Amino acid sequence: MSHHLTDTIVALATPSGVGAIGVIRLSGPDAIRIANSVFHGKNLEQQASHTVHLGTIRNDEGRILDEVLATVFVAPRSYTGENVVEVSCHGSDYIIQELMQLFIQKGARTANPGEYTLRAFLNGQMDLSQAEAVADLIASSSKSSHAIAMQQMRGGFSDEIKKLRQELIDFASLIELELDFSEEDVEFADRSKLEDLVQKIQRIIKALLDSFQLGNVMKNGVSTVIAGRPNAGKSTLLNALLNEERAIVSEIAGTTRDTIEEVLNIKGVQFRIIDTAGIRDATDTIEAIGVEKTMQKVQSSALLVYVFDVVETQPEEVRADLEKLVHENIHVLVVANKMDLNPYTKKEHYFPENSTVDYHWVPVSALNKMNIDYLKESLHDAVLSKKINLESTIVANARHYEALQKAYQDLDRVLQGLSTGITADFVAMDIRAALHHLGEITGEISTDDLLGNIFGRFCIGK
Ligand SMILES: Nc1nc2c(ncn2[C@@H]2O[C@H](COP(=O)(O)OP(=O)(O)OP(=O)(O)O)[C@@H](O)[C@H]2O)c(=O)[nH]1
Ligand SMILES: [Mg+2]
């Protein structure tokens, strides 16, 4: 194991894609040197431990990738006991990936799950029980993102793209061939077959694009908001889900005044669960701000856990709340809470059979932790049932996503061109663009010259 400690590792220390700021952490003997080699500002190698420096990160061409804050920790006074640099950059996936790649190019390698903690332990910074606790946490929370990484490594994704590209190249070569015979007005490429192929490719790209959102969800967690009236038992429910006393619970309505966010892992899927201030006409400003924030969280979440008190809240109030909260992009679970006080409560009381809306109904007692497992299962199913098949290829990389999007648009233009009957050279151009963008993903081609060579082989008489 010990030879591992001679290299420098790098990883994103904050959850990706969620915050305004991302923190990339380098640890190892060369951490400061590597950071300094791309950092423009003070010379980081000459700075005291535990100091923060403003500067820019530039690539080899001198292009500024981001303005950052670099915090220097000199061994052994750091979490791992090694030299550590924490680079706080802007939280965009794109920037983070650019910076990560740059650090890797300069000699760092990506950290394995739990590796920072392992190093901390090996360097005597923490005892084994502490290290184990952290390692467990990391292992459980990164299970699905790990699965995604594995999947990508196994190459399911690039195999699929390669196959698609090849089919398209075959077709494009026929069209290019037509260009050589332009005088004669021949069509080697069957237009309707080309149309079929392009549409087929678009469908697969679409599925990959969708899977990106899923991949994102797996990696960053499904944003899940708990909302409802004051005293409904929202905070009690959060605590029951987490199995710890995280949020303050009291019989006073309006206890929770700001949102609380915690990560929960259910069978490998991450949920970012947000407890909110109860919704009502607020009696003071702080509470009003809380309610406003609740509404914002509901707007930006993928899952809504609407909680109500089966004793206190009337059916029409429940329906009115839901009408206010539910929006197009949110999946709703209706949690009937305090079932211990009114065990005969039924869904039909709240949503009559002829009701136009149908919500997934989850009766619980948050206080007694009754039926909490069913709630967890329902949360898990809500995510998985949609489209999620972990075995299928998942696009988890922002740049891949962009390239796929562009390829999709190129193919749209091909279809448009075919339907308006434009000349072969324009069709060929759009196909080339699509091939180029697909190639960006697999790294197969980067320039039109290369493409020209590929086509060159097919052209008669050249
Ligand atoms: N009997 C019973 N009481 C419950 C249950 N869940 C919560 N309570 C009680 O209801 C009261 C309010 O619970 P909280 O979890 O603070 O409610 P909240 O929705 O977070 O309330 P605010 O933060 O004020 O909006 C507390 O006294 C809880 O003990 C339950 O399942 N059964
Ligand atoms: Mg609360």
Side-chain angles (χ1 to χ4, degrees):
M1 266 295 167
S2 62
H3 72 276
H4 281 291
L5 295 174
T6 60
D7 53 15
T8 295
I9 54 178
V10 62
L12 182 63
T14 46
S16 82
V18 281
I21 289 174
V23 177
I24 297 172
R25 183 155 60 177
L26 288 147
S27 178
D30 289 331
I32 301 174
R33 187 189 59 72
I34 289 172
N36 193 51
S37 70
V38 295
F39 181 85
H40 290 248
K42 283 189 190 148
N43 184 341
L44 297 178
E45 291 185 271
Q46 289 166 8
Q47 304 307 315
S49 187
H50 295 69
T51 55
V52 186
H53 309 279
L54 177 69
T56 55
I57 301 272
R58 302 186 196 189
N59 65 10
D60 285 345
E61 286 93 60
R63 186 165 65 88
I64 295 180
L65 301 181
D66 200 5
E67 186 172 51
V68 303
L69 283 173
T71 313
V72 175
F73 302 87
V74 180
R77 293 176 58 211
S78 71
Y79 176 73
T80 54
E82 304 174 319
N83 282 341
V84 167
V85 179
E86 288 183 352
V87 176
S88 307
C89 60
H90 292 97
S92 102
D93 270 343
Y94 180 73
I95 289 175
I96 287 167
Q97 280 180 23
E98 290 264 289
L99 296 190
M100 290 279 291
Q101 263 163 29
L102 191 60
F103 291 132
I104 289 162
Q105 195 189 318
K106 295 295 172 192
R109 70 164 169 81
T110 50
N112 299 319
E115 197 169 8
Y116 285 97
T117 308
L118 175 67
R119 289 184 171 210
F121 168 66
L122 291 175
N123 288 319
Q125 302 293 103
M126 57 170 70
D127 67 32
L128 186 58
S129 66
Q130 279 174 307
E132 272 178 340
V134 181
D136 278 349
L137 189 76
I138 292 167
S140 67
S141 73
S142 65
K143 196 173 149 205
S144 51
S145 44
H146 189 62
I148 293 169
M150 291 298 289
Q151 174 74 32
Q152 240 185 21
M153 256 165 40
R154 268 185 262 131
F157 177 53
S158 68
D159 278 355
E160 193 140 10
I161 297 294
K162 272 184 197 151
K163 217 176 69 207
L164 293 179
R165 276 193 73 242
Q166 194 49 54
E167 283 183 54
L168 201 55
I169 286 174
D170 292 346
F171 237 105
S173 63
L174 289 175
I175 297 213
E176 298 272 332
L177 205 57
E178 288 173 13
L179 300 180
D180 291 348
F181 290 85
S182 52
E183 323 282 76
E184 280 134 76
D185 197 23
V186 290
E187 276 193 7
F188 293 121
D190 182 327
R191 293 299 187 265
S192 77
K193 275 195 188 142
L194 174 59
E195 218 175 293
D196 286 348
L197 174 69
V198 168
Q199 278 166 352
K200 184 178 138 214
I201 295 174
Q202 278 193 316
R203 273 196 300 277
I204 297 174
I205 292 181
K206 183 77 176 35
L208 286 169
L209 286 172
D210 286 347
S211 83
F212 175 79
Q213 287 171 330
L214 173 63
N216 238 1
V217 154
M218 299 300 220
K219 221 168 61 180
N220 302 323
V222 187
S223 52
T224 305
V225 60
I226 303 178
R229 300 194 171 212
N231 254 348
K234 300 179 296 296
S235 299
T236 311
L237 189 70
L238 175 75
N239 292 343
L241 282 169
L242 297 172
N243 215 4
E244 63 177 278
E245 302 312 306
R246 170 66 178 87
I248 300 168
V249 166
S250 89
E251 68 291 341
I252 305 162
T255 303
T256 307
R257 296 190 156 219
D258 200 355
T259 53
I260 298 176
E261 190 168 326
E262 282 294 321
V263 173
L264 175 68
N265 186 294
I266 304 173
K267 292 195 262 176
V269 179
Q270 297 258 87
F271 292 84
R272 283 185 293 117
I273 306 216
I274 306 154
D275 180 23
T276 61
I279 30 169
R280 67 165 172 188
D281 296 329
T283 49
D284 65 56
T285 334
I286 296 178
E287 202 188 351
I289 295 171
V291 173
E292 176 59 31
K293 208 161 171 187
T294 299
M295 296 309 286
Q296 281 172 13
K297 288 291 176 190
V298 171
Q299 274 309 313
S300 61
S301 291
L303 264 172
L304 166 64
V305 175
Y306 171 75
V307 185
F308 73 96
D309 178 331
V310 294
V311 179
E312 292 295 327
T313 316
Q314 300 309 309
E316 53 281 7
E317 294 176 319
V318 168
R319 292 196 297 266
D321 285 353
L322 284 166
E323 213 158 288
K324 205 158 33 165
L325 293 172
V326 175
H327 57 87
E328 211 185 324
N329 300 319
I330 202 159
H331 182 80
V332 187
L333 303 179
V334 172
V335 173
N337 188 33
K338 309 196 188 181
M339 286 296 284
D340 52 303
L341 300 178
N342 195 359
Y344 298 107
T345 307
K346 290 222 158 54
K347 182 180 180 183
E348 295 81 67
H349 304 153
Y350 289 82
F351 303 99
E353 301 239 306
N354 59 3
S355 170
T356 49
V357 285
D358 187 27
Y359 297 109
H360 188 80
W361 176 264
V362 187
V364 304
S365 166
L367 188 66
N368 302 335
K369 298 203 165 96
M370 193 196 86
N371 226 15
I372 298 301
D373 281 345
Y374 177 61
L375 173 58
K376 285 188 182 174
E377 223 159 85
S378 305
L379 285 166
H380 186 258
D381 284 356
V383 177
L384 283 236
S385 64
K386 277 201 184 153
K387 44 205 154 186
I388 301 170
N389 169 11
L390 262 181
E391 298 310 311
S392 77
T393 304
I394 285 168
V395 187
N397 178 304
R399 244 196 268 185
H400 288 173
Y401 184 73
E402 245 171 65
L404 282 172
Q405 248 177 343
K406 288 197 184 126
Y408 191 89
Q409 288 157 5
D410 298 332
L411 292 173
D412 258 349
R413 274 192 292 278
V414 173
L415 285 181
Q416 259 169 40
L418 288 176
S419 73
T420 56
I422 59 164
T423 52
D425 45 345
F426 284 110
V427 175
M429 215 168 69
D430 291 330
I431 293 182
R432 275 172 184 242
L435 287 171
H436 174 79
H437 286 125
L438 292 174
E440 268 185 7
I441 297 163
T442 53
E444 277 176 297
I445 44 118
S446 50
T447 66
D448 277 331
D449 290 342
L450 257 175
L451 250 189
N453 284 337
I454 295 169
F455 291 120
R457 285 191 288 120
F458 289 96
C459 290
I460 299 171
K462 277 194 174 167

